[in-house]
Every structure is written in structure tokens, then in C-alpha cells.
């Protein structure tokens, strides 16, 4: 989800109209405020950092959820998993393997199964010298390839 989709999701979850969110965020409660929130939600405008803080406060959420600039790659992945959790039926469990605890995520979809199988093979090919690092990078930036 991008910033606008997240604003819309939380706004609707909170039962707010665009006008109500505009007013709670310090924008005008007239049509101009509603239009500004609409622009944020549909991606035609991106709120500045100070406005993201105001919107986050109005929505009663951690501003990190909206402020993509503050995300690390790991945090992006965390938020992506949380977004997927609303729409996808996947399984998370903790298992002990060789006396060590591991968290396992079964994404429960053929798309990811196929991707992970291909990725395992490409990583093995890279490690075994069957493909070069450049060929591996080429695969990563062109995935999925046409069949």
C-alpha cells in the first residue's frame, strides 16, 4: 500500500469522512479540505512530513505507518505483511529446528511458492557459478519473466 491507500484505509476504518479528517488534521472543513484529503488518498498529491504527522494524530496511529521516508527495508516488509494480513490467508508459526526457534510464514499461494522455488534455484546457480552476479541481478530486476 502507498501512503494514500493507507490514509484511506485507516480513515474508513475509523469511520471518518474526508471532510472530517481534513478538519481534524487542521485543514479547512469546507470543500477545499476534503479535496486535499482526496488528493492525498488518490496519489495526486503527497503530504509533507508535517501534514503526515497531523493526519497520523487525527487518525490515532503511529506516524511511521504513513511516513514511508522513515521506513527501513525491514519495516517496509513488516508493514507489507500487516497489509497482506487483511486480504490474504497465510499462516505464521514458530517452530524449533535443531534446537533453535524459527518463525515460519506460509504465504499459502502458488504465486509465492513458484517465486520461492525459482529464487532458491537462482541463488544455488549463483553460488555454484552456473550464473554470474550480473545474470542474477538481471533475473531479480526482470522477475517474473514471460513464459
Amino acid at each position: 500500500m502507498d501512503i494514500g491507500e493507507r490514509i484511506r484505509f485507516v480513515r474508513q476504518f475509523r469511520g471518518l469522512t474526508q471532510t472530517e479528517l481534513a478538519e481534524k488534521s487542521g485543514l479547512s472543513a469546507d470543500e477545499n479540505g476534503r479535496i486535499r484529503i482526496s488528493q492525498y488518498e488518490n496519489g495526486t498529491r503527497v503530504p509533507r512530513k508535517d501534514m503526515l504527522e497531523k493526519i497520523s494524530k487525527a487518525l490515532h496511529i503511529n506516524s511511521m505507518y504513513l511516513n514511508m521516508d522513515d521506513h527501513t527495508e525491514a519495516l517496509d516488509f513488516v508493514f507489507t505483511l500487516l497489509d497482506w494480513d487483511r486480504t490474504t490467508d497465510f499462516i505464521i508459526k514458530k517452530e524449533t529446528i535443531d534446537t533453535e526457534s524459527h518463525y515460519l510464514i506460509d504465504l499459502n499461494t502458488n504465486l509465492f511458492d513458484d517465486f520461492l522455488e525459482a529464487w532458491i534455484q537462482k541463488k544455488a546457480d549463483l553460488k555454484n557459478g552456473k550464473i554470474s552476479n550480473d545474470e542474477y541481478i538481471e533475473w531479480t530486476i526482470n522477475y517474473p519473466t514471460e513464459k
Side-chain angles (χ1 to χ4, degrees), residues 2-10 65 68 71 79 83:
D2 63 22
I3 293 169
E5 292 169 322
R6 288 182 175 175
I7 291 170
R8 179 182 305 112
F9 172 76
V10 178
Y65 184 67
M68 307 299 269
H71 289 189
F79 284 135
D83 290 341

Side-chain angles (χ1 to χ4, degrees), residues 15-118:
L16 297 172
T17 66
Q18 289 176 333
T19 302
E20 290 169 332
L21 178 56
E23 186 174 20
K24 288 177 179 282
S25 301
L27 298 170
S28 61
D30 61 10
E31 187 67 9
N32 291 332
R34 187 202 62 76
I35 289 171
R36 176 74 59 88
I37 295 298
S38 176
Q39 290 170 332
Y40 293 156
E41 289 183 357
N42 68 33
T44 57
R45 289 184 79 147
V46 177
R48 292 189 322 254
K49 191 170 184 162
D50 62 323
M51 180 51 68
L52 282 175
E53 291 292 328
K54 291 175 184 178
I55 292 171
S56 297
K57 193 172 191 170
L59 292 172
H60 304 287
I61 59 172
N62 184 325
S63 63
M64 289 180 69
Y65 184 67
L66 298 180
N67 193 351
M68 307 299 269
D69 292 339
D70 288 346
H71 289 189
T72 62
E73 289 177 7
L75 189 55
D76 281 339
F77 186 62
V78 166
F79 284 135
T80 297
L81 286 175
L82 292 171
D83 290 341
W84 285 348
D85 188 41
R86 286 189 284 277
T87 60
T88 308
D89 185 25
F90 61 88
I91 301 162
I92 305 167
K93 59 185 170 179
K94 184 177 180 179
E95 289 192 5
T96 302
I97 302 172
D98 297 329
T99 69
E100 291 186 29
S101 292
H102 296 271
Y103 294 92
L104 306 175
I105 300 174
D106 180 351
L107 299 172
N108 200 22
T109 174
N110 289 337
L111 172 70
F112 283 106
D113 292 347
D114 294 346
F115 163 70
L116 291 172
E117 196 63 41

